[in-house]
């Protein structure tokens, strides 16, 4: 089993930055692709970003491209997402997820591509 704990959320003004962290425990996630999703009230869960187990390949959702950067530190069993130029529409609960499936592909842009999930951290961007 893998436990994922997100941190780093909070309240920030539009145009500001936050860095979210996702710490894994229970098992190393160094060979798993990892992803971030978000869910705003009344909306479906939305793909934010994914990163391969080496960190060499990434995907981003269209709404965050150019503003968010996903990274990982396998020695620390931790994944990050740096969020810059935040907008009010980025307000959501952000979730970290781990995929045990082999291969890199578009399945990592969907919730169904992941096997373990964190509890989420709230990000609120004020205008």
């Amino acid at each position: 089993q893998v436990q994922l704990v997100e941190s780093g959320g909070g309240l920030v003004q539009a145009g500001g930055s936050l860095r979210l962290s996702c710490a894994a425990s229970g098992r190393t996630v160094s060979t798993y692709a990892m992803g971030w999703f978000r869910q705003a009230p009344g909306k479906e869960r939305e793909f934010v970003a994914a990163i391969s187990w080496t960190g060499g390949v990434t995907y981003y959702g269209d709404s965050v491209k150019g503003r968010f950067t996903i990274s990982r530190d396998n020695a620390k069993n931790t994944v990050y997402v740096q969020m810059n130029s935040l907008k009010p529409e980025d307000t959501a609960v952000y979730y970290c997820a781990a995929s045990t499936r082999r291969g890199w592909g578009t399945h990592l842009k969907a919730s169904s591509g992941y096997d373990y999930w964190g509890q989420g951290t709230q990000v609120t961007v004020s205008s």
Side-chain angles (χ1 to χ4, degrees):
Q1 288 287 342
V2 174
Q3 292 79 45
L4 302 174
V5 178
E6 302 94 338
S7 62
L11 174 65
V12 64
Q13 288 189 330
S17 299
L18 282 175
R19 187 177 82 153
L20 305 183
S21 299
C22 171
S25 62
R27 181 182 295 181
T28 179
V29 295
S30 61
T31 59
Y32 296 166
M34 301 291 293
W36 285 95
F37 287 75
R38 66 187 184 186
Q39 189 164 19
K43 294 189 176 180
E44 292 187 355
R45 191 164 293 190
E46 177 189 13
F47 170 72
V48 173
I51 188 166
S52 65
W53 70 273
T54 64
V57 188
T58 56
Y59 282 141
Y60 291 96
D62 289 342
S63 61
V64 307
K65 275 180 188 175
R67 299 188 299 122
F68 290 15
T69 303
I70 189 171
S71 62
R72 66 190 300 162
D73 184 338
N74 285 339
K76 295 183 178 180
N77 227 21
T78 300
V79 179
Y80 307 95
V81 60
Q82 176 68 43
M83 308 187 296
N84 297 328
S85 303
L86 284 161
K87 305 175 182 180
E89 50 264 44
D90 294 318
T91 295
V93 177
Y94 283 71
Y95 298 92
C96 171
S99 175
T100 64
R101 295 134 205 235
R102 294 190 178 190
W104 176 259
T106 56
H107 65 280
L108 293 167
K109 296 183 178 180
S111 299
S112 58
Y114 296 84
D115 306 288
Y116 298 103
W117 291 84
Q119 294 298 307
T121 185
Q122 176 71 47
V123 171
T124 303
V125 185
S126 63
S127 57

